[in-house]
Amino acid sequence: MLVTFPHMGSAYVTLKALLEDLGVDVLVPPPCTKRTLELGTKYAPELACLPLKINIGNYIESLEKGADTIVMAGGCGPCRFGYYAEVQREILKDLGYRFEMVVLERPQGNVRDFIDRISLLTGGKSIFRVISAIKRATGVSIEMDNLERLGWEVRPREIKKGSASSLMKSFHSEVHGVKGTREINSLIRDYRRRMEQVETADEDILKIGIVGEIYTVIEPFVSIGIAEKLGDLGVEVDKSITLSYWIVNHLIKEALHMHDKREIEEAAKPYLKNFVGGHGQESIANTVIYKKKCYDGVIQLLPFTCMPEIVAQSILPRVSHDHDIPAMTLVLDEMTGEAGYLTRLEAFVDLIKRKKEMARDHEKKLLSRG
Amino acid sequence: MKPRVGIPRALLYYNYYPMWKEFFERLGAEIVLSELTNKKILDDGVNCSVDDACLPIKLFHGHVIDLKDRVDFLFIPRLISVQRSEYICPKFCGLPDMVVSLVNDLPTVIDVTVNMRNNNSSLRKAVLDAGRYITGDVVRIYSAYKSSLQKLHEFQRKMEEGLTPLEAMHGGKPSSFKEGIKIGLIGHPYNIYDNYASMDIIRKIRGRGIGIITQDMIRESEIDRIAKTFPKAMFWSFGKKIMAASEYLIDEKKVEGIIYMVAFGCGLDALVGDLVERRVRKKGVPFCLITIDEHTGEAGIDTRVEAFLDMLEWRNASKCW
Ligand code: SF4
Ligand code: SF4
């Protein structure tokens, strides 16, 4: 059995660690490229959302390399993600591929079933081993997110341009050579130290929060590397949705009925009173929260036709206006071209820069008059 | 003066109107409907919504704009779930919020929440909440609710006899003429029954002496029986109905072919349409997917539908030789 899974940013690091700890042979899907997207676009329904298409491309590329088992997460609505696996299985089967698809989900919220499926994948490892591996892998996801976050802080401030990006690049090539949570964690920590040593200038810097649909927020291929692009434009970014956030809140806490959504619900309430699937409610709430944390702007990312985020997109202008925080929505699809996209990013950064300067001048005037 | 409650003729109007009307009228309100979908409603909806919204959501906004200045209340329930373990669509979960954000100068919005995903008691509360906008008399609200449920059941029964929602609302009779062949017309109700959005497809098909069966004309028990056989429970109520209906119509040999009408930008239809198409084609039944959006030209759709119907008639004729 050779197990593969969809590619989503650095998520593979955590999944690889988990499966390796459980003694499963893993084939990490090749990074998303134009070919991945083309395969997906060719075989997936035309109006399916972008992540579904890219998943299909990932699967085909992994199956070509010899994988025979696909692990995928599931769900039970209301957005499309819960039915991805069903549609994807049909598409691949009709194309003639032979494979097993293991869908990790909690039908009727049953945690036991979820763990049983993982245990099945591992040839019947005990539930305790599975649980402890999940715990360690969760740790990896947190470490990994922290490393990336550090990169977003360093990039706009680094004195030698390109340092953060090249560190991350070399991390991703080295991680293939190590196995399991322990080794991977120590590699991440090693890179963390190196990232901390990158020389930076202490500048007053613009900050942008990224909200939106989880796949487009996490996978740099579809957002054309938004975090790096903004970093190079001198902006520090933060992503409101990360893999560890998803694992901790949706997988673990929700299963244990400990998921506390109060902060999100309260912040979104004046605008969006209900959960709308995906992270639509989070997009609204986090815009409000970013303003409170003194961010200078918010960018919402969503794949074309994404249902929860279209609800959020409809509401975002009002939130942006009421809270006086510039917000821009970028809809991503297979036609998104790099040139137009960069122009829009630059224009947005210009806008928030000018807004900040104006506010500062205004403040100075008030003070000098004082 | 009676309070005027506005109901947009869009989205679930086609599923619930007789119930809503009975309810509010029993409470002493006057029902005001938006105009039938027309060019202006479409344009207003398109202008005020985000570009990437699906056509039905755009139309809903257009209907709201048409109504808002003529009523005291706008009825925009938040229909999260109308059946256990199921949803309608993410956009329905945030419908009133979108409308409030995008349309200015609204009258009071009756935005009660119906979420029967985990239990049925939410409906009771929603009914009470909605009724309270009109009257404080709880007993009256309950009795209005009871008779409105009855109206809903009557309405659904009429559709099971073969009437479209509009015919059922206006006291139509099941067509008695013997049709040659029948086709399955499936899709979200607000796509297939809104004559403007659907380019009047029902009249055009029937005009050729071809009968139609929609998912709403099939008994609920049949739908549920088939839905239970899906490898994974279909958690969208309409998706479930559409998938099960196509299977039923084919397996029971009720139709010669299937037309599935989808709205451009509909997230559900993108996946359900693909699953249905794969299944139907494997069974060797002619299938035609019609996509509608605000730019759809009537001529193009007519040509496709006609070609499809020609093909069915031809197939049918050659069968009889
Ligand atoms: S959140 Fe959006 S992109 Fe993701 S599965 Fe749902 S509809 Fe598709
Ligand atoms: S089901 Fe489809 S058409 Fe209906 S509101 Fe949702 S996305 Fe739009």
Side-chain angles (χ1 to χ4, degrees), chain A residues 75 78 80 82-83 94 105 318, chain B residues 52 90 101 104 232 236 267 278:
Chain A
R80 283 182 272 187
Y83 235 73
D94 284 355
E105 60 184 344
R318 192 157 291 229
Chain B
D52 300 322
S101 269
N104 291 324
K232 172 178 173 130
W236 294 310
R278 279 171 202 276

Side-chain angles (χ1 to χ4, degrees), chain A residues 49 51 79-81 84 213 278 303 305-308:
Chain A
C49 30
C79 108
R80 283 182 272 187
F81 185 69
Y84 266 30
E213 185 274 334
T305 75
C306 171
M307 305 189 280

